[in-house]
PDB file of all heavy atoms in Angstrom:
ATOM      1  N   PHE T1504      -2.476  -3.839   0.688  1.00 95.00           N
ATOM      2  CA  PHE T1504      -1.140  -3.249   0.614  1.00 95.00           C
ATOM      3  C   PHE T1504      -0.144  -4.021   1.469  1.00 95.00           C
ATOM      4  O   PHE T1504       0.915  -4.418   0.995  1.00 95.00           O
ATOM      5  CB  PHE T1504      -1.182  -1.773   1.028  1.00 95.00           C
ATOM      6  CG  PHE T1504       0.101  -1.066   0.767  1.00 95.00           C
ATOM      7  CD1 PHE T1504       0.379  -0.557  -0.493  1.00 95.00           C
ATOM      8  CD2 PHE T1504       1.053  -0.911   1.758  1.00 95.00           C
ATOM      9  CE1 PHE T1504       1.575   0.089  -0.757  1.00 95.00           C
ATOM     10  CE2 PHE T1504       2.254  -0.268   1.511  1.00 95.00           C
ATOM     11  CZ  PHE T1504       2.513   0.232   0.251  1.00 95.00           C
ATOM     12  N   VAL T1505      -0.477  -4.244   2.730  1.00 93.00           N
ATOM     13  CA  VAL T1505       0.478  -4.953   3.598  1.00 93.00           C
ATOM     14  C   VAL T1505       0.525  -6.443   3.279  1.00 93.00           C
ATOM     15  O   VAL T1505       1.547  -7.091   3.519  1.00 93.00           O
ATOM     16  CB  VAL T1505       0.206  -4.724   5.101  1.00 93.00           C
ATOM     17  CG1 VAL T1505       0.291  -3.248   5.444  1.00 93.00           C
ATOM     18  CG2 VAL T1505      -1.111  -5.304   5.534  1.00 93.00           C
ATOM     19  N   GLY T1506      -0.546  -6.974   2.721  1.00 91.00           N
ATOM     20  CA  GLY T1506      -0.578  -8.391   2.374  1.00 91.00           C
ATOM     21  C   GLY T1506       0.391  -8.771   1.266  1.00 91.00           C
ATOM     22  O   GLY T1506       0.765  -9.939   1.139  1.00 91.00           O
ATOM     23  N   GLN T1507       0.797  -7.782   0.487  1.00 90.00           N
ATOM     24  CA  GLN T1507       1.768  -8.061  -0.581  1.00 90.00           C
ATOM     25  C   GLN T1507       3.037  -8.693  -0.032  1.00 90.00           C
ATOM     26  O   GLN T1507       3.620  -9.571  -0.655  1.00 90.00           O
ATOM     27  CB  GLN T1507       2.159  -6.758  -1.297  1.00 90.00           C
ATOM     28  CG  GLN T1507       1.044  -6.068  -2.016  1.00 90.00           C
ATOM     29  CD  GLN T1507       1.512  -4.746  -2.568  1.00 90.00           C
ATOM     30  OE1 GLN T1507       1.754  -4.641  -3.749  1.00 90.00           O
ATOM     31  NE2 GLN T1507       1.649  -3.738  -1.720  1.00 90.00           N
ATOM     32  N   ARG T1508       3.471  -8.226   1.119  1.00 85.00           N
ATOM     33  CA  ARG T1508       4.725  -8.722   1.700  1.00 85.00           C
ATOM     34  C   ARG T1508       4.645 -10.201   2.059  1.00 85.00           C
ATOM     35  O   ARG T1508       5.625 -10.921   1.909  1.00 85.00           O
ATOM     36  CB  ARG T1508       5.104  -7.903   2.927  1.00 85.00           C
ATOM     37  CG  ARG T1508       5.521  -6.507   2.573  1.00 85.00           C
ATOM     38  CD  ARG T1508       6.084  -5.782   3.789  1.00 85.00           C
ATOM     39  NE  ARG T1508       6.440  -4.427   3.451  1.00 85.00           N
ATOM     40  CZ  ARG T1508       7.621  -4.062   2.951  1.00 85.00           C
ATOM     41  NH1 ARG T1508       8.545  -4.943   2.741  1.00 85.00           N
ATOM     42  NH2 ARG T1508       7.857  -2.807   2.673  1.00 85.00           N
ATOM     43  N   THR T1509       3.509 -10.636   2.548  1.00 85.00           N
ATOM     44  CA  THR T1509       3.379 -12.052   2.895  1.00 85.00           C
ATOM     45  C   THR T1509       3.011 -12.889   1.677  1.00 85.00           C
ATOM     46  O   THR T1509       3.363 -14.061   1.609  1.00 85.00           O
ATOM     47  CB  THR T1509       2.344 -12.268   4.015  1.00 85.00           C
ATOM     48  OG1 THR T1509       1.091 -11.711   3.620  1.00 85.00           O
ATOM     49  CG2 THR T1509       2.811 -11.624   5.310  1.00 85.00           C
ATOM     50  N   GLN T1510       2.322 -12.291   0.725  1.00 90.00           N
ATOM     51  CA  GLN T1510       1.944 -13.026  -0.478  1.00 90.00           C
ATOM     52  C   GLN T1510       3.125 -13.214  -1.432  1.00 90.00           C
ATOM     53  O   GLN T1510       3.188 -14.211  -2.148  1.00 90.00           O
ATOM     54  CB  GLN T1510       0.803 -12.280  -1.189  1.00 90.00           C
ATOM     55  CG  GLN T1510       0.173 -13.056  -2.308  1.00 90.00           C
ATOM     56  CD  GLN T1510      -1.003 -12.297  -2.919  1.00 90.00           C
ATOM     57  OE1 GLN T1510      -1.345 -11.189  -2.527  1.00 90.00           O
ATOM     58  NE2 GLN T1510      -1.626 -12.917  -3.911  1.00 90.00           N
ATOM     59  N   PHE T1511       4.049 -12.277  -1.432  1.00 92.00           N
ATOM     60  CA  PHE T1511       5.190 -12.317  -2.352  1.00 92.00           C
ATOM     61  C   PHE T1511       6.503 -12.098  -1.604  1.00 92.00           C
ATOM     62  O   PHE T1511       7.244 -11.145  -1.878  1.00 92.00           O
ATOM     63  CB  PHE T1511       5.032 -11.251  -3.442  1.00 92.00           C
ATOM     64  CG  PHE T1511       3.820 -11.436  -4.301  1.00 92.00           C
ATOM     65  CD1 PHE T1511       2.654 -10.718  -4.041  1.00 92.00           C
ATOM     66  CD2 PHE T1511       3.829 -12.339  -5.353  1.00 92.00           C
ATOM     67  CE1 PHE T1511       1.536 -10.889  -4.821  1.00 92.00           C
ATOM     68  CE2 PHE T1511       2.710 -12.517  -6.134  1.00 92.00           C
ATOM     69  CZ  PHE T1511       1.547 -11.796  -5.872  1.00 92.00           C
ATOM     70  N   PRO T1512       6.849 -12.969  -0.667  1.00 87.00           N
ATOM     71  CA  PRO T1512       8.060 -12.736   0.139  1.00 87.00           C
ATOM     72  C   PRO T1512       9.345 -12.730  -0.688  1.00 87.00           C
ATOM     73  O   PRO T1512      10.275 -11.978  -0.376  1.00 87.00           O
ATOM     74  CB  PRO T1512       8.045 -13.883   1.146  1.00 87.00           C
ATOM     75  CG  PRO T1512       7.206 -14.942   0.521  1.00 87.00           C
ATOM     76  CD  PRO T1512       6.181 -14.209  -0.309  1.00 87.00           C
ATOM     77  N   GLU T1513       9.399 -13.539  -1.740  1.00 91.00           N
ATOM     78  CA  GLU T1513      10.613 -13.577  -2.557  1.00 91.00           C
ATOM     79  C   GLU T1513      10.846 -12.247  -3.261  1.00 91.00           C
ATOM     80  O   GLU T1513      11.978 -11.775  -3.363  1.00 91.00           O
ATOM     81  CB  GLU T1513      10.543 -14.717  -3.602  1.00 91.00           C
ATOM     82  CG  GLU T1513      10.476 -16.097  -3.000  1.00 91.00           C
ATOM     83  CD  GLU T1513       9.045 -16.525  -2.640  1.00 91.00           C
ATOM     84  OE1 GLU T1513       8.062 -15.831  -3.012  1.00 91.00           O
ATOM     85  OE2 GLU T1513       8.913 -17.556  -1.958  1.00 91.00           O
ATOM     86  N   HIS T1514       9.780 -11.652  -3.755  1.00 91.00           N
ATOM     87  CA  HIS T1514       9.907 -10.362  -4.427  1.00 91.00           C
ATOM     88  C   HIS T1514      10.459  -9.313  -3.459  1.00 91.00           C
ATOM     89  O   HIS T1514      11.390  -8.576  -3.795  1.00 91.00           O
ATOM     90  CB  HIS T1514       8.560  -9.896  -4.983  1.00 91.00           C
ATOM     91  CG  HIS T1514       8.593  -8.475  -5.462  1.00 91.00           C
ATOM     92  ND1 HIS T1514       9.169  -8.113  -6.657  1.00 91.00           N
ATOM     93  CD2 HIS T1514       8.167  -7.323  -4.880  1.00 91.00           C
ATOM     94  CE1 HIS T1514       9.078  -6.802  -6.800  1.00 91.00           C
ATOM     95  NE2 HIS T1514       8.471  -6.300  -5.736  1.00 91.00           N
ATOM     96  N   PHE T1515       9.879  -9.253  -2.266  1.00 87.00           N
ATOM     97  CA  PHE T1515      10.310  -8.225  -1.315  1.00 87.00           C
ATOM     98  C   PHE T1515      11.709  -8.492  -0.776  1.00 87.00           C
ATOM     99  O   PHE T1515      12.454  -7.551  -0.502  1.00 87.00           O
ATOM    100  CB  PHE T1515       9.259  -8.035  -0.220  1.00 87.00           C
ATOM    101  CG  PHE T1515       8.053  -7.299  -0.748  1.00 87.00           C
ATOM    102  CD1 PHE T1515       6.959  -7.982  -1.230  1.00 87.00           C
ATOM    103  CD2 PHE T1515       8.056  -5.923  -0.813  1.00 87.00           C
ATOM    104  CE1 PHE T1515       5.865  -7.306  -1.757  1.00 87.00           C
ATOM    105  CE2 PHE T1515       6.976  -5.225  -1.351  1.00 87.00           C
ATOM    106  CZ  PHE T1515       5.876  -5.920  -1.820  1.00 87.00           C
ATOM    107  N   ALA T1516      12.103  -9.750  -0.669  1.00 87.00           N
ATOM    108  CA  ALA T1516      13.476 -10.074  -0.282  1.00 87.00           C
ATOM    109  C   ALA T1516      14.443  -9.628  -1.377  1.00 87.00           C
ATOM    110  O   ALA T1516      15.507  -9.043  -1.089  1.00 87.00           O
ATOM    111  CB  ALA T1516      13.617 -11.573  -0.012  1.00 87.00           C
ATOM    112  N   MET T1517      14.070  -9.876  -2.635  1.00 89.00           N
ATOM    113  CA  MET T1517      14.909  -9.447  -3.753  1.00 89.00           C
ATOM    114  C   MET T1517      15.024  -7.928  -3.784  1.00 89.00           C
ATOM    115  O   MET T1517      16.124  -7.382  -3.945  1.00 89.00           O
ATOM    116  CB  MET T1517      14.320  -9.948  -5.082  1.00 89.00           C
ATOM    117  CG  MET T1517      15.063  -9.449  -6.308  1.00 89.00           C
ATOM    118  SD  MET T1517      14.387 -10.043  -7.887  1.00 89.00           S
ATOM    119  CE  MET T1517      12.747  -9.327  -7.898  1.00 89.00           C
ATOM    120  N   MET T1518      13.918  -7.226  -3.570  1.00 87.00           N
ATOM    121  CA  MET T1518      13.956  -5.773  -3.615  1.00 87.00           C
ATOM    122  C   MET T1518      14.763  -5.206  -2.445  1.00 87.00           C
ATOM    123  O   MET T1518      15.456  -4.207  -2.598  1.00 87.00           O
ATOM    124  CB  MET T1518      12.543  -5.190  -3.646  1.00 87.00           C
ATOM    125  CG  MET T1518      11.792  -5.498  -4.933  1.00 87.00           C
ATOM    126  SD  MET T1518      12.766  -5.389  -6.469  1.00 87.00           S
ATOM    127  CE  MET T1518      13.401  -3.728  -6.398  1.00 87.00           C
ATOM    128  N   GLN T1519      14.700  -5.856  -1.302  1.00 85.00           N
ATOM    129  CA  GLN T1519      15.492  -5.414  -0.156  1.00 85.00           C
ATOM    130  C   GLN T1519      16.990  -5.511  -0.494  1.00 85.00           C
ATOM    131  O   GLN T1519      17.762  -4.609  -0.185  1.00 85.00           O
ATOM    132  CB  GLN T1519      15.157  -6.254   1.070  1.00 85.00           C
ATOM    133  CG  GLN T1519      15.797  -5.764   2.338  1.00 85.00           C
ATOM    134  CD  GLN T1519      15.322  -6.543   3.549  1.00 85.00           C
ATOM    135  OE1 GLN T1519      14.616  -7.541   3.450  1.00 85.00           O
ATOM    136  NE2 GLN T1519      15.722  -6.085   4.711  1.00 85.00           N
ATOM    137  N   GLN T1520      17.378  -6.594  -1.158  1.00 87.00           N
ATOM    138  CA  GLN T1520      18.775  -6.753  -1.572  1.00 87.00           C
ATOM    139  C   GLN T1520      19.166  -5.698  -2.596  1.00 87.00           C
ATOM    140  O   GLN T1520      20.242  -5.101  -2.505  1.00 87.00           O
ATOM    141  CB  GLN T1520      19.001  -8.148  -2.168  1.00 87.00           C
ATOM    142  CG  GLN T1520      19.127  -9.243  -1.171  1.00 87.00           C
ATOM    143  CD  GLN T1520      20.328  -9.032  -0.271  1.00 87.00           C
ATOM    144  OE1 GLN T1520      20.178  -8.979   0.929  1.00 87.00           O
ATOM    145  NE2 GLN T1520      21.516  -8.900  -0.824  1.00 87.00           N
ATOM    146  N   ILE T1521      18.302  -5.476  -3.567  1.00 87.00           N
ATOM    147  CA  ILE T1521      18.597  -4.483  -4.603  1.00 87.00           C
ATOM    148  C   ILE T1521      18.724  -3.099  -3.979  1.00 87.00           C
ATOM    149  O   ILE T1521      19.661  -2.351  -4.291  1.00 87.00           O
ATOM    150  CB  ILE T1521      17.535  -4.514  -5.718  1.00 87.00           C
ATOM    151  CG1 ILE T1521      17.699  -5.793  -6.546  1.00 87.00           C
ATOM    152  CG2 ILE T1521      17.629  -3.266  -6.606  1.00 87.00           C
ATOM    153  CD1 ILE T1521      16.615  -6.029  -7.571  1.00 87.00           C
ATOM    154  N   MET T1522      17.824  -2.744  -3.069  1.00 85.00           N
ATOM    155  CA  MET T1522      17.880  -1.414  -2.462  1.00 85.00           C
ATOM    156  C   MET T1522      19.126  -1.253  -1.584  1.00 85.00           C
ATOM    157  O   MET T1522      19.683  -0.161  -1.489  1.00 85.00           O
ATOM    158  CB  MET T1522      16.608  -1.116  -1.674  1.00 85.00           C
ATOM    159  CG  MET T1522      15.358  -1.050  -2.565  1.00 85.00           C
ATOM    160  SD  MET T1522      15.545  -0.130  -4.114  1.00 85.00           S
ATOM    161  CE  MET T1522      15.737   1.524  -3.508  1.00 85.00           C
ATOM    162  N   ALA T1523      19.577  -2.336  -0.978  1.00 89.00           N
ATOM    163  CA  ALA T1523      20.797  -2.273  -0.173  1.00 89.00           C
ATOM    164  C   ALA T1523      22.024  -2.012  -1.050  1.00 89.00           C
ATOM    165  O   ALA T1523      23.012  -1.438  -0.594  1.00 89.00           O
ATOM    166  CB  ALA T1523      20.982  -3.562   0.619  1.00 89.00           C
ATOM    167  N   GLU T1524      21.945  -2.423  -2.302  1.00 89.00           N
ATOM    168  CA  GLU T1524      23.063  -2.261  -3.237  1.00 89.00           C
ATOM    169  C   GLU T1524      22.683  -1.357  -4.408  1.00 89.00           C
ATOM    170  O   GLU T1524      23.230  -1.489  -5.502  1.00 89.00           O
ATOM    171  CB  GLU T1524      23.477  -3.643  -3.769  1.00 89.00           C
ATOM    172  CG  GLU T1524      23.987  -4.587  -2.706  1.00 89.00           C
ATOM    173  CD  GLU T1524      25.366  -4.186  -2.198  1.00 89.00           C
ATOM    174  OE1 GLU T1524      26.139  -3.568  -2.962  1.00 89.00           O
ATOM    175  OE2 GLU T1524      25.661  -4.486  -1.032  1.00 89.00           O
ATOM    176  N   VAL T1525      21.768  -0.449  -4.170  1.00 89.00           N
ATOM    177  CA  VAL T1525      21.200   0.357  -5.249  1.00 89.00           C
ATOM    178  C   VAL T1525      22.258   1.081  -6.078  1.00 89.00           C
ATOM    179  O   VAL T1525      22.091   1.245  -7.290  1.00 89.00           O
ATOM    180  CB  VAL T1525      20.134   1.345  -4.703  1.00 89.00           C
ATOM    181  CG1 VAL T1525      20.770   2.468  -3.902  1.00 89.00           C
ATOM    182  CG2 VAL T1525      19.253   1.869  -5.816  1.00 89.00           C
ATOM    183  N   GLN T1526      23.364   1.487  -5.479  1.00 91.00           N
ATOM    184  CA  GLN T1526      24.398   2.204  -6.223  1.00 91.00           C
ATOM    185  C   GLN T1526      25.081   1.328  -7.272  1.00 91.00           C
ATOM    186  O   GLN T1526      25.741   1.837  -8.164  1.00 91.00           O
ATOM    187  CB  GLN T1526      25.430   2.828  -5.271  1.00 91.00           C
ATOM    188  CG  GLN T1526      26.323   1.836  -4.573  1.00 91.00           C
ATOM    189  CD  GLN T1526      25.748   1.268  -3.292  1.00 91.00           C
ATOM    190  OE1 GLN T1526      24.558   1.409  -3.003  1.00 91.00           O
ATOM    191  NE2 GLN T1526      26.578   0.605  -2.517  1.00 91.00           N
ATOM    192  N   HIS T1527      24.889   0.008  -7.182  1.00 91.00           N
ATOM    193  CA  HIS T1527      25.508  -0.911  -8.145  1.00 91.00           C
ATOM    194  C   HIS T1527      24.560  -1.322  -9.270  1.00 91.00           C
ATOM    195  O   HIS T1527      24.923  -2.163 -10.095  1.00 91.00           O
ATOM    196  CB  HIS T1527      26.009  -2.173  -7.424  1.00 91.00           C
ATOM    197  CG  HIS T1527      27.030  -1.871  -6.371  1.00 91.00           C
ATOM    198  ND1 HIS T1527      28.298  -1.418  -6.666  1.00 91.00           N
ATOM    199  CD2 HIS T1527      26.954  -1.913  -5.027  1.00 91.00           C
ATOM    200  CE1 HIS T1527      28.964  -1.213  -5.540  1.00 91.00           C
ATOM    201  NE2 HIS T1527      28.168  -1.508  -4.530  1.00 91.00           N
ATOM    202  N   PHE T1528      23.370  -0.753  -9.286  1.00 88.00           N
ATOM    203  CA  PHE T1528      22.395  -1.084 -10.322  1.00 88.00           C
ATOM    204  C   PHE T1528      22.162   0.127 -11.213  1.00 88.00           C
ATOM    205  O   PHE T1528      22.131   1.261 -10.728  1.00 88.00           O
ATOM    206  CB  PHE T1528      21.055  -1.504  -9.700  1.00 88.00           C
ATOM    207  CG  PHE T1528      21.094  -2.869  -9.074  1.00 88.00           C
ATOM    208  CD1 PHE T1528      21.461  -3.027  -7.741  1.00 88.00           C
ATOM    209  CD2 PHE T1528      20.778  -3.991  -9.817  1.00 88.00           C
ATOM    210  CE1 PHE T1528      21.515  -4.278  -7.162  1.00 88.00           C
ATOM    211  CE2 PHE T1528      20.811  -5.250  -9.243  1.00 88.00           C
ATOM    212  CZ  PHE T1528      21.194  -5.398  -7.911  1.00 88.00           C
ATOM    213  N   PRO T1529      21.989  -0.115 -12.495  1.00 90.00           N
ATOM    214  CA  PRO T1529      21.680   1.013 -13.379  1.00 90.00           C
ATOM    215  C   PRO T1529      20.350   1.654 -12.972  1.00 90.00           C
ATOM    216  O   PRO T1529      19.423   0.967 -12.529  1.00 90.00           O
ATOM    217  CB  PRO T1529      21.557   0.374 -14.761  1.00 90.00           C
ATOM    218  CG  PRO T1529      22.142  -0.985 -14.642  1.00 90.00           C
ATOM    219  CD  PRO T1529      22.064  -1.381 -13.206  1.00 90.00           C
ATOM    220  N   ALA T1530      20.271   2.954 -13.144  1.00 92.00           N
ATOM    221  CA  ALA T1530      19.035   3.680 -12.822  1.00 92.00           C
ATOM    222  C   ALA T1530      17.851   3.107 -13.589  1.00 92.00           C
ATOM    223  O   ALA T1530      16.723   3.106 -13.093  1.00 92.00           O
ATOM    224  CB  ALA T1530      19.206   5.161 -13.126  1.00 92.00           C
ATOM    225  N   SER T1531      18.094   2.571 -14.773  1.00 91.00           N
ATOM    226  CA  SER T1531      17.003   2.014 -15.579  1.00 91.00           C
ATOM    227  C   SER T1531      16.366   0.798 -14.904  1.00 91.00           C
ATOM    228  O   SER T1531      15.160   0.564 -15.048  1.00 91.00           O
ATOM    229  CB  SER T1531      17.496   1.649 -16.976  1.00 91.00           C
ATOM    230  OG  SER T1531      18.501   0.652 -16.890  1.00 91.00           O
ATOM    231  N   VAL T1532      17.139   0.024 -14.151  1.00 89.00           N
ATOM    232  CA  VAL T1532      16.589  -1.129 -13.435  1.00 89.00           C
ATOM    233  C   VAL T1532      15.658  -0.651 -12.330  1.00 89.00           C
ATOM    234  O   VAL T1532      14.548  -1.168 -12.169  1.00 89.00           O
ATOM    235  CB  VAL T1532      17.708  -2.016 -12.849  1.00 89.00           C
ATOM    236  CG1 VAL T1532      17.154  -3.080 -11.911  1.00 89.00           C
ATOM    237  CG2 VAL T1532      18.504  -2.663 -13.972  1.00 89.00           C
ATOM    238  N   ILE T1533      16.080   0.360 -11.594  1.00 91.00           N
ATOM    239  CA  ILE T1533      15.253   0.903 -10.516  1.00 91.00           C
ATOM    240  C   ILE T1533      14.001   1.541 -11.100  1.00 91.00           C
ATOM    241  O   ILE T1533      12.895   1.360 -10.577  1.00 91.00           O
ATOM    242  CB  ILE T1533      16.059   1.913  -9.656  1.00 91.00           C
ATOM    243  CG1 ILE T1533      17.325   1.253  -9.092  1.00 91.00           C
ATOM    244  CG2 ILE T1533      15.187   2.497  -8.558  1.00 91.00           C
ATOM    245  CD1 ILE T1533      17.097  -0.014  -8.285  1.00 91.00           C
ATOM    246  N   ASP T1534      14.152   2.270 -12.191  1.00 93.00           N
ATOM    247  CA  ASP T1534      13.000   2.898 -12.834  1.00 93.00           C
ATOM    248  C   ASP T1534      12.018   1.846 -13.348  1.00 93.00           C
ATOM    249  O   ASP T1534      10.800   1.995 -13.210  1.00 93.00           O
ATOM    250  CB  ASP T1534      13.452   3.809 -13.973  1.00 93.00           C
ATOM    251  CG  ASP T1534      12.296   4.563 -14.583  1.00 93.00           C
ATOM    252  OD1 ASP T1534      11.587   5.268 -13.836  1.00 93.00           O
ATOM    253  OD2 ASP T1534      12.089   4.434 -15.813  1.00 93.00           O
ATOM    254  N   THR T1535      12.535   0.774 -13.923  1.00 91.00           N
ATOM    255  CA  THR T1535      11.685  -0.312 -14.413  1.00 91.00           C
ATOM    256  C   THR T1535      10.878  -0.912 -13.264  1.00 91.00           C
ATOM    257  O   THR T1535       9.670  -1.140 -13.390  1.00 91.00           O
ATOM    258  CB  THR T1535      12.541  -1.405 -15.085  1.00 91.00           C
ATOM    259  OG1 THR T1535      13.127  -0.852 -16.261  1.00 91.00           O
ATOM    260  CG2 THR T1535      11.730  -2.631 -15.442  1.00 91.00           C
ATOM    261  N   TRP T1536      11.542  -1.164 -12.149  1.00 91.00           N
ATOM    262  CA  TRP T1536      10.855  -1.696 -10.974  1.00 91.00           C
ATOM    263  C   TRP T1536       9.765  -0.721 -10.503  1.00 91.00           C
ATOM    264  O   TRP T1536       8.633  -1.134 -10.258  1.00 91.00           O
ATOM    265  CB  TRP T1536      11.875  -1.952  -9.860  1.00 91.00           C
ATOM    266  CG  TRP T1536      11.277  -2.088  -8.506  1.00 91.00           C
ATOM    267  CD1 TRP T1536      10.397  -3.052  -8.102  1.00 91.00           C
ATOM    268  CD2 TRP T1536      11.488  -1.250  -7.377  1.00 91.00           C
ATOM    269  NE1 TRP T1536      10.060  -2.865  -6.772  1.00 91.00           N
ATOM    270  CE2 TRP T1536      10.723  -1.751  -6.314  1.00 91.00           C
ATOM    271  CE3 TRP T1536      12.267  -0.119  -7.167  1.00 91.00           C
ATOM    272  CZ2 TRP T1536      10.708  -1.159  -5.064  1.00 91.00           C
ATOM    273  CZ3 TRP T1536      12.251   0.456  -5.909  1.00 91.00           C
ATOM    274  CH2 TRP T1536      11.482  -0.068  -4.881  1.00 91.00           C
ATOM    275  N   GLN T1537      10.109   0.559 -10.394  1.00 93.00           N
ATOM    276  CA  GLN T1537       9.140   1.561  -9.934  1.00 93.00           C
ATOM    277  C   GLN T1537       7.922   1.624 -10.849  1.00 93.00           C
ATOM    278  O   GLN T1537       6.785   1.634 -10.368  1.00 93.00           O
ATOM    279  CB  GLN T1537       9.809   2.949  -9.863  1.00 93.00           C
ATOM    280  CG  GLN T1537      10.757   3.120  -8.715  1.00 93.00           C
ATOM    281  CD  GLN T1537      10.021   3.313  -7.411  1.00 93.00           C
ATOM    282  OE1 GLN T1537       9.063   4.051  -7.322  1.00 93.00           O
ATOM    283  NE2 GLN T1537      10.478   2.616  -6.388  1.00 93.00           N
TER     284      GLN T1537
END
Side-chain angles (χ1 to χ4, degrees):
F1504 189 83
V1505 300
Q1507 296 175 103
R1508 290 188 182 273
T1509 56
Q1510 190 177 1
F1511 298 98
E1513 297 85 10
H1514 170 77
F1515 286 93
M1517 175 180 63
M1518 293 319 304
Q1519 187 174 8
Q1520 282 298 123
I1521 289 173
M1522 296 316 292
E1524 297 288 332
V1525 71
Q1526 70 274 14
H1527 300 291
F1528 287 89
S1531 62
V1532 170
I1533 303 304
D1534 185 56
T1535 294
W1536 162 62
Q1537 286 284 316

